[in-house]
Amino acid sequence: MKKFLAVAVCLLGFAFSAQARAYQTGDVLLGAAFVASPLELGTDWGEVNVDDQTDNISHDAKLGHPGLGGEISALYFVHPRVALGVLAEDQNFDTDLSSGWEINTSTRQRNYMLASRVFLTDTENLYKVYLPLAVGVARTDMTVDFATNEHFRYTGFAGHAGLGVERALTDRWAVDLEVRYNVNRFHASKQISSGPHAGHHVTIYPRAAYVTASARVLYRI
């Protein structure tokens, strides 16, 4: 048993310390990631403006608790240092007390993007530094508790830019850690149906932007 464990440890150590071959034009990179978005104060950092246009009152409102979600991606290398492809992300910001309105809010956002990965270091390195860049659309559903849950939905422009570090495990498997800034246009309005704000016209704008951290597993075809 001890010999078996020793051999297994040696094999794992060899596999996880192996020098991966450089990316080549024509390679395909598949990825699956866990994403988290810690929210900060300010419209550009995970809050939106909520306007009661009937009473001419404006407050900020959180998207909800820090977001958690997942992402899948597929990238095709058009150059040994440049990959283009697509990604889809689904993230949920659970119910939290809004900072300005003192009401409960939660948000679900799904992103569908044309993505790219531009490597700043040689891709034959064990550790590779890269820029993740993407543009596409975000489908945002923000729920606000005005005695009844009111849904504010919007589909509009989305994009992100950031910095990542990829680490090769084997010739085909790798992992990466990534931080990026997500900007998403968000503009929705409706008439509140019930509660103390019944009949009031409420608008939520202009963006639902935040910083995301992700941990990803990658497989090269």
Side-chain angles (χ1 to χ4, degrees):
M1 185 65 178
K2 289 182 179 180
K3 289 183 178 180
F4 174 79
L5 290 174
V7 171
V9 169
C10 289
L11 289 175
L12 286 173
F14 174 77
F16 284 11
S17 63
Q19 184 82 2
R21 66 177 173 86
Y23 288 123
Q24 300 173 3
T25 300
D27 282 348
V28 174
L29 193 63
L30 305 179
F34 168 78
V35 296
S37 300
L39 300 179
E40 301 292 340
L41 294 177
T43 301
D44 292 332
W45 300 95
E47 296 195 355
V48 296
N49 294 324
V50 180
D51 282 5
D52 184 334
Q53 296 179 332
T54 303
D55 282 346
N56 196 28
I57 298 173
S58 180
H59 290 288
D60 57 354
K62 294 181 180 180
L63 299 178
H65 276 300
L68 297 174
E71 177 188 290
I72 56 174
S73 59
L75 298 170
Y76 175 83
F77 280 81
V78 297
H79 181 274
R81 284 198 183 190
V82 180
L84 305 176
V86 293
L87 68 82
E89 180 182 300
D90 190 347
Q91 192 165 190
N92 185 64
F93 299 83
D94 203 6
T95 303
D96 196 11
L97 191 66
S98 250
S99 55
W101 275 91
E102 295 299 318
I103 53 179
N104 287 323
T105 58
S106 62
T107 305
R108 182 181 181 185
Q109 187 171 87
R110 286 163 285 183
N111 292 305
Y112 306 96
M113 317 283 278
L114 298 175
S116 65
R117 181 174 289 208
V118 180
F119 288 89
L120 303 179
T121 57
D122 289 335
T123 61
E124 64 184 6
N125 294 347
L126 193 63
Y127 290 93
K128 309 170 183 64
V129 180
Y130 65 90
L131 299 175
L133 305 167
V135 294
V137 296
R139 298 183 62 183
T140 306
D141 182 351
M142 185 173 183
T143 303
V144 184
D145 183 6
F146 288 111
T148 59
N149 286 333
E150 302 287 347
H151 291 271
F152 294 82
R153 297 183 176 95
Y154 183 75
T155 300
F157 171 81
H160 71 240
L163 184 67
V165 178
E166 179 185 320
R167 205 278 193 189
L169 298 180
T170 70
D171 196 43
R172 295 192 177 275
W173 290 94
V175 294
D176 70 42
L177 296 176
E178 186 177 300
V179 176
R180 65 192 183 209
Y181 178 67
N182 304 269
V183 60
N184 309 282
R185 302 303 300 173
F186 185 37
H187 193 288
S189 61
K190 70 184 306 181
Q191 195 131 337
I192 304 305
S193 59
S194 62
H197 299 280
H200 289 209
H201 188 73
V202 175
T203 299
I204 299 181
Y205 72 99
R207 64 186 65 86
Y210 47 85
V211 172
T212 292
S214 65
R216 183 177 291 102
V217 176
L218 299 161
Y219 180 74
R220 174 186 7 208
I221 298 176

